[in-house]
């Protein structure tokens, strides 16, 4: 249930905006410090900002876990939501993923058994149907023979 309700997202980081928010929350810095740092980090920021990332939104993961009553330890809550960010520990997704795969495998095995059973039923029905067709053909041939004899008289 937990894994199936998660919503993967793709995103690009706006490192400049994140950096501005962090420094604003920490009390700011001088414009000279800001410009110098931006020159030094410009190429790194451009590279990181152009990459597409995929993952989950921590708040959504937390909401899903709470909604189904799943005690999930993979969400890092900010101690101070005004100055810190949520985080996810993706290693904590391993156990629920393994459980989901095991449940799916169990369903697959049940479906395989059901499929074998249905194939056997179908084969038996086919054999019965072929016998009935053969019987009907024999009866039809006998009727044709009788009609032929009647027409000759």
């Amino acid at each position: 249930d937990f894994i199936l309700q998660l919503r993967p997202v793709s995103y690009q980081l706006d490192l400049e905006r994140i950096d501005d928010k962090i420094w604003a929350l920490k009390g700011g810095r001088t414009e000279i410090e800001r410009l110098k740092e931006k020159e030094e980090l410009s190429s790194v920021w451009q590279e990181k900002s152009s990459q597409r990332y995929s993952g989950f939104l921590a708040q959504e993961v937390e909401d899903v876990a709470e909604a189904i009553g799943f005690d999930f330890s993979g969400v890092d809550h900010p101690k101070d939501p005004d100055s810190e960010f949520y985080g996810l520990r993706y290693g904590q997704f391993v156990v629920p993923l393994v459980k989901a795969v095991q449940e799916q495998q169990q369903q697959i095995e049940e479906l395989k058994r059901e499929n074998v059973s249905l194939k056997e039923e179908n084969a038996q029905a086919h054999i019965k149907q072929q016998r009935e067709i053969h019987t009907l053909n024999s009866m039809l041939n006998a009727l044709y023979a009788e009609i032929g004899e009647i027409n000759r008289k």
Side-chain angles (χ1 to χ4, degrees):
D1 263 359
F2 175 65
I3 295 298
L4 293 176
Q5 292 185 39
L6 296 178
R7 185 179 66 97
V9 295
S10 294
Y11 57 92
Q12 288 180 287
L13 294 175
D14 185 345
L15 294 175
E16 189 170 340
R17 191 168 138 211
I18 293 170
D19 184 63
D20 288 344
K21 181 175 180 172
I22 291 170
W23 279 104
L25 294 169
K26 290 183 177 183
R29 57 189 164 181
T30 67
E31 188 64 26
I32 293 172
E33 289 173 323
R34 183 179 156 97
L35 289 172
K36 182 178 177 193
E37 188 174 294
K38 284 201 180 194
E39 281 181 32
E40 292 170 2
L41 295 176
S42 178
S43 64
V44 173
W45 280 3
Q46 285 176 352
E47 182 182 322
K48 294 280 186 190
S49 293
S50 66
Q51 286 182 323
R52 279 189 81 74
Y53 298 90
S54 60
F56 303 104
L57 300 177
Q59 293 88 331
E60 287 183 6
V61 172
E62 180 179 49
D63 290 345
V64 168
E66 286 177 3
I68 65 170
F70 181 61
D71 186 20
F72 183 61
S73 59
V75 177
D76 289 328
H77 299 86
K79 291 179 180 138
D80 180 6
D82 293 329
S83 65
E84 296 178 1
F85 299 100
Y86 272 80
L88 289 173
R89 284 179 272 128
Y90 283 95
Q92 297 298 315
F93 285 83
V94 172
V95 172
L97 282 169
V98 168
K99 185 176 186 305
V101 169
Q102 289 171 337
E103 289 172 355
Q104 282 186 343
Q105 190 60 41
Q106 183 179 4
Q107 290 173 349
I108 289 168
E109 295 303 322
E110 288 172 11
L111 290 170
K112 282 181 176 179
R113 285 190 294 275
E114 183 180 341
N115 191 35
V116 166
S117 175
L118 290 171
K119 282 182 176 180
E120 288 172 1
E121 286 178 28
N122 189 34
Q124 292 301 320
H126 181 72
I127 290 169
K128 182 179 175 186
Q129 187 180 42
Q130 290 301 315
R131 284 184 190 143
E132 289 173 356
I133 289 172
H134 179 70
T135 301
L136 290 172
N137 276 334
S138 295
M139 291 170 66
L140 185 61
N141 288 335
L143 286 172
Y144 283 144
E146 284 183 39
I147 291 172
E149 282 185 37
I150 292 173
N151 284 339
R152 278 182 278 214
K153 291 182 181 179

